[in-house]
Amino acid sequence: MNSLLILLYLIGLALPHDFHISRCEIVYRSETQSLEITHHLFADDVEKAIRDYLDEPIHLCTEMEIASADSLVEDYLSRHLGLSLSGRPVDIYFLGK
């Protein structure tokens, strides 16, 4: 059984597939005593995640982007990104994409 799992894993490594990495940068601004969070995401991944519960394309970062795209991205991130300090939730303010 273990040999079969190892074989399937190795076959998976050999097959071509998309490889996406998102990046999150957090900077503390002492003058405002705030954190600035920059989250670099792949637009197609975010669009797919939003489309999974919205069931319609939003065309992120294209000329056909729907008017509510920013608020949909903000809603998605607020559901899936949380921050706490000393065990207490921290308010996150979305500035845009």
Side-chain angles (χ1 to χ4, degrees), residues 17-89:
H17 60 281
D18 290 341
F19 186 75
H20 293 186
I21 297 176
S22 61
R23 181 172 64 93
C24 182
E25 179 181 348
I26 302 175
V27 175
Y28 176 70
R29 300 284 181 210
S30 58
E31 62 274 2
T32 58
Q33 295 185 346
S34 63
L35 293 176
E36 291 181 4
I37 302 171
T38 305
H39 210 146
H40 297 265
L41 303 167
F42 282 83
D44 56 333
D45 292 339
V46 174
E47 173 142 2
K48 182 187 178 316
I50 292 171
R51 189 174 47 235
D52 284 349
Y53 73 86
L54 186 63
D55 203 29
E56 71 176 73
I58 61 172
H59 305 287
L60 276 179
C61 304
T62 70
E63 292 178 4
M64 297 185 306
E65 182 176 281
I66 64 174
S68 60
D70 273 0
S71 63
L72 290 168
V73 171
E74 178 179 13
D75 181 59
Y76 175 79
L77 291 175
S78 70
R79 292 173 189 241
H80 295 91
L81 175 66
L83 201 59
S84 63
L85 182 63
S86 300
R88 292 188 210 126

